[in-house]
Amino acid sequence: MLYARRLTMSTHGVMTKSPIALAREALAVAQESLEPYSSARSRHDFTQHQLFAILSLRQFFKTDYRGICTLVEDFSDLRAALGLGKTPHFTTLQKAEQRLAKKGLSSALWTPSSSAPASRD
């Protein structure tokens, strides 16, 4: 629950409506909690911190993996805030979410393997 509270609240206890502010905060939380890479043998294209932040944004925008990849690709400010030189493939996000769910770090933010967009009531 600490992760969810920290990611959705500013210092004043108000939820943020800024995707860039959320991305920065998610990145900071991940840097405190995760190793940069899940494996020493990984390609090191993206850090776990960056992937965690993108997955947090996926929930913020209530979209699927392909949708968040498109949004990150389209918004240079988000890429800059996350330090991304390129956008990850949607399967990279799916695998990262499964890996993070096994570690128990994602349960407060999303339901694992839920790639379908949430309904907007």
Side-chain angles (χ1 to χ4, degrees):
M1 269 322 215
L2 171 66
Y3 299 111
R5 180 176 21 217
R6 180 151 183 211
L7 291 176
T8 58
M9 300 178 79
S10 72
T11 56
H12 298 98
V14 179
M15 288 187 173
T16 184
K17 294 190 179 197
S18 168
I20 294 174
L22 176 74
R24 288 181 180 141
E25 189 65 20
L27 194 62
V29 167
Q31 288 169 339
E32 293 173 6
S33 308
L34 299 169
E35 294 294 322
Y37 300 100
S38 62
S39 170
R41 297 181 186 191
S42 70
R43 288 179 35 181
H44 294 198
D45 290 343
F46 309 100
T47 66
Q48 288 193 104
H49 314 144
Q50 292 168 323
L51 297 172
F52 179 84
I54 294 170
L55 290 167
S56 299
L57 286 167
R58 183 176 82 85
Q59 291 303 303
F60 180 83
F61 286 114
K62 298 179 182 174
T63 188
D64 59 8
Y65 299 109
R66 291 174 195 247
I68 194 59
C69 288
T70 301
L71 287 169
V72 170
E73 181 69 31
D74 288 348
F75 294 105
S76 61
D77 290 346
L78 278 177
R79 286 193 315 277
L82 296 173
L84 294 171
K86 61 182 181 177
T87 305
H89 192 266
F90 74 94
T91 58
T92 302
L93 295 175
Q94 289 173 324
K95 291 174 186 178
E97 184 170 333
Q98 291 171 354
R99 208 171 37 249
L100 291 170
K102 284 182 184 178
K103 292 180 181 182
L105 296 175
S106 60
S107 61
L109 296 175
W110 60 78
T111 303
S113 302
S114 61
S115 60
S119 63
R120 296 181 185 222
D121 295 325

